[in-house]
C-alpha cells in the first residue's frame, strides 16, 4: 500500500494521529492493527513483513508465545512495587542478566536513553571517587554520528542537527572523535577521561561497522589511560549481530554495557546497565533511581527474554540467516545499491546516487508488503525479527532487489 492507495479507513486513523499528537515522527502511511511473529496486519486487512522489528526491540518477533505467557502470568500476580520494597522477580532478573552477560552487577531502568544517562552518571561518579579526577572536570569521549537517545544531555553530544538544534544550553563534558579512528581516540583520552562511550556498530547512523581491530584498540586505549569503556549495545546487542553482544566479534569486553530494546521482548520498555562491581558499586541509596525501573512485570518479561537468549538459538539464527542476507544483498551492489554494511540479520543498504530517496524506497517496499524505514538520506536499515523464516527473509530481499533496481 502506498499513500496514493491509502483507504479512507486508514486515512481516518492517520488524520487523528496528525490532529492530536505532536508531529515528532513521520510514519509510513500504514496503520497496524495486529501482529504475529514477523508479520503485521493493517486496519484494512493487508499483511506486511516487518523488516524493521521496532528498531530491534522485536528481535523475538511480535508476541512471542513464551514472552506473552510470562507477561500474562505476571499480570495476574503483581506489576509494580516501586523500589521502595523488594519483590520476588528483581534479584532473579539481575542475577540471570549478569550471568548471561558475564558481568557482576545490574542496574535496571526502562528506556534506552535512561540506561545511557545512568552509564554517564556512574562513569562520572567513578571518575571522581575512584580515578581521582578533579571536581566537575570529568570528560566522556564519544564518537561522531552517534545515537544514544533523546535526553537533553544525550543530544548535547549528538552531531545530528535535527536531534540537537534548539535544545541548548547543552551539557558540557563531552569530546567527540570520528568513529572508527583509533588514533583520534587515543589523542582525546586524558587523565580527565571518565569513559569512552560508543556503539560497537552504529545503528541509526546506517549500520556502520568499524574497521577490524578498532574495538580491541578502544579497549587497549581505555586500559592504558585508566578510562572506562562503555558500550551502548541497546540496538546491537541481544543476538542482533549473531552473538549475544556485538563486542564479542572482537573478543572485547566493556566495563559498562547498556542494554534495552529487545530486553523488553517487544512488550514493554526494559533497559539496564550491566558491569563490574568496582564501577556500578559506586552508587549508594538515593544517588540514582527510577519509579518503574526493575518493576515486577519488566523483570518477569526480561527473565523470559534471558531464557530465550540462553539457548543460543537466536544468536545462531541471526548468524546463519544473516550470512544469507548479506550474500544476497552483496549481489545488489552495482544494481541500484552502492554499499551494504552490517552483521547478522542487520544491514544498512545505501541506494545508489540518482535512485530513490530512502523515504521513497520505504514507501515502495510497503507497496510490496514489506515494512522498513530509511535512516539518513538514501540508506535503508534492514533488521527483520530473528524468528523470521528463510522463505520470508527471501521474500523481503526480493522486494529490496525489485525496488532498488528501478532507481
Ligand atoms: C534506541 C537506542 C537508544 C535509545 O533507546 P530509547 O529506548 O529509544 O530511549 C540508545 N542507544 C542506542 C544505540 C539505540 O539504538
Amino acid at each position: 500500500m502506498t499513500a496514493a492507495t491509502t483507504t479512507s479507513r486508514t486515512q481516518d486513523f492517520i488524520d487523528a494521529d496528525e490532529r492530536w499528537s505532536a508531529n515528532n515522527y513521520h510514519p509510513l502511511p500504514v496503520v497496524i492493527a495486529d501482529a504475529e511473529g514477523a508479520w503485521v496486519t493493517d486496519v484494512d486487512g493487508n499483511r506486511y513483513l516487518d523488516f524493521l522489528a521496532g528498531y530491534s526491540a522485536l528481535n523475538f518477533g511480535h508476541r512471542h508465545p513464551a514472552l506473552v505467557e510470562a507477561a500474562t502470568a505476571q499480570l495476574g500476580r503483581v506489576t509494580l512495587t516501586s523500589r521502595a520494597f523488594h519483590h520476588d522477580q528483581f534479584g532473579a532478573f539481575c542475577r540471570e542478566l549478569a550471568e548471561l552477560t558475564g558481568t557482576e552487577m545490574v542496574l535496571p531502568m526502562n528506556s534506552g536513553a535512561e540506561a545511557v544517562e545512568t552509564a554517564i552518571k556512574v562513569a562520572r561518579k567513578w571518575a571522581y571517587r575512584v580515578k581521582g579526577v578533579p571536581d566537575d572536570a570529568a570528560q566522556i569521549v564519544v564518537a561522531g554520528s552517534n545515537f544514544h537517545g533523546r535526553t537533553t544531555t544525550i543530544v548535547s553530544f549528538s552531531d545530528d542537527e535535527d536531534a540537537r538544534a534548539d535544545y541548548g544550553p547543552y551539557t558540557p563534558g563531552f569530546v567527540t572523535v570520528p568513529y572508527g579512528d583509533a588514533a583520534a581516540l587515543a589523542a582525546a583520552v586524558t587523565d580527565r577521561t571518565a569513559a569512552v562511550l560508543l556503539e560497537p556498530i552504529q545503528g541509526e547512523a546506517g549500520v556502520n561497522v568499524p574497521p577490524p581491530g578498532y574495538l580491541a584498540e578502544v579497549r587497549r586505549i581505555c586500559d592504558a589511560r585508566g578510562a572506562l569503556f562503555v558500550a551502548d549495545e541497546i540496538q546491537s546487542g541481544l543476538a542482533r549481530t549473531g552473538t549475544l553482544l556485538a563486542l564479542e566479534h572482537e573478543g572485547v569486553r566493556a566495563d559498562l554495557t547498556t542494554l534495552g530494546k529487545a530486553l523488553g521482548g517487544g512488550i514493554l520498555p526494559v533497559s539496564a546497565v550491566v558491569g563490574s562491581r568496582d564501577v556500578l558499586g559506586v552508587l549508594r541509596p538515593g544517588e540514582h533511581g527510577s519509579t518503574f525501573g526493575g518493576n515486577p512485570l519488566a523483570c518477569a518479561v526480561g527473565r523470559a527474554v534471558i531464557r530465550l537468549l540462553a539457548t543460543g538459538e537466536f544468536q545462531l539464527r541471526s548468524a546463519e540467516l544473516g550470512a544469507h542476507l548479506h550474500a544476497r544483498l552483496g549481489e545488489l551492489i552495482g544494481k541500484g545499491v552502492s554499499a551494504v554494511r552490517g552483521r547478522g540479520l542487520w544491514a544498512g543498504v545505501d541506494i545508489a546516487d540518482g535512485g530513490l530517496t530512502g523515504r521513497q524506497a520505504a514507501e515502495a517496499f510497503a507497496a510490496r508488503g514489506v515494512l522498513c524505514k530509511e535512516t539518513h538520506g538514501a540508506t535503508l536499515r534492514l533488521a527483520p525479527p530473528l524468528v523470521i523464516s528463510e522463505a520470508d527473509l527471501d521474500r523481503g530481499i526480493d522486494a529490496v532487489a525489485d525496488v532498488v533496481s528501478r532507481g
Side-chain angles (χ1 to χ4, degrees), residues 48-283:
Y48 302 85
L49 254 180
D50 184 351
F51 254 50
L52 179 65
Y55 301 97
S56 290
L58 289 156
N59 280 0
F60 311 100
H62 293 270
R63 300 192 302 113
H64 188 289
L67 303 180
V68 170
E69 189 188 314
T72 308
Q74 192 62 38
L75 281 171
R77 296 179 60 233
V78 58
T79 54
L80 187 71
T81 57
S82 85
R83 293 288 306 281
F85 314 111
H86 295 272
H87 65 76
D88 65 6
Q89 298 298 307
F90 187 80
F93 170 69
C94 293
R95 173 173 57 76
E96 288 158 11
L97 187 59
E99 286 172 357
L100 181 77
T101 54
T103 55
E104 295 172 336
M105 263 192 177
V106 172
L107 202 174
M109 299 296 285
N110 309 284
S111 70
E114 277 182 310
V116 173
E117 286 275 351
T118 300
I120 290 168
K121 289 171 77 175
V122 169
R124 285 179 167 182
K125 196 173 274 282
W126 174 88
Y128 301 125
R129 299 274 179 83
V130 180
K131 182 167 173 171
V133 173
D135 281 356
D136 287 342
Q139 293 188 326
I140 294 182
V141 179
V142 299
S145 310
N146 68 71
F147 182 85
H148 296 289
R150 301 290 198 167
T151 65
T152 326
T153 287
I154 292 172
V155 300
S156 294
F157 58 88
S158 169
D159 52 21
D160 173 350
E161 268 312 291
D162 289 342
R164 181 183 148 94
D166 297 333
Y167 296 133
Y170 300 108
T171 307
F174 297 92
V175 177
T176 305
V177 295
Y179 187 65
D181 181 342
L185 185 81
V189 176
T190 70
D191 290 349
R192 303 200 158 185
T193 306
V196 173
L197 166 63
L198 295 173
E199 299 154 85
I201 294 178
Q202 292 187 321
E204 294 301 312
V207 196
N208 278 348
V209 181
Y214 174 68
L215 297 168
E217 194 56 18
V218 173
R219 176 72 273 177
R220 202 194 56 71
I221 294 163
C222 288
D223 287 343
R225 307 282 163 80
L228 302 176
F229 183 2
V230 181
D232 182 350
E233 297 250 19
I234 289 169
Q235 197 166 152
S236 59
L238 307 184
R240 174 51 63 188
T241 68
T243 49
L244 181 74
L245 299 175
L247 272 191
E248 288 171 39
H249 292 289
E250 290 206 15
V252 172
R253 301 187 57 82
D255 299 294
L256 294 176
T257 302
T258 55
L259 301 171
K261 293 200 164 101
L263 192 57
I267 294 179
L268 76 174
V270 183
S271 69
V273 180
V274 301
S276 58
R277 183 167 300 277
D278 52 352
V279 181
L280 274 173
V282 298
L283 291 179

Side-chain angles (χ1 to χ4, degrees), residues 319-404:
E320 289 178 356
L321 292 175
H324 180 66
L325 172 73
H326 284 281
R328 284 206 56 196
L329 292 176
E331 291 167 8
L332 301 179
I333 294 175
K335 296 178 188 151
V337 167
S338 57
V340 178
R341 296 168 299 277
R343 267 190 204 278
L345 264 185
W346 200 21
V349 177
D350 293 345
I351 299 170
D353 284 350
L356 301 174
T357 65
R359 174 76 187 190
Q360 288 168 334
E363 287 177 355
F365 288 133
R368 286 166 181 73
V370 180
L371 297 183
C372 76
K373 198 78 167 71
E374 74 279 9
T375 55
H376 293 115
T379 299
L380 291 164
R381 167 183 17 198
L382 307 182
L386 310 180
V387 296
I388 196 169
S389 68
E390 186 166 341
D392 285 343
L393 181 63
D394 275 322
R395 194 193 289 241
I397 302 167
D398 289 344
V400 174
D402 189 32
V403 166
V404 295

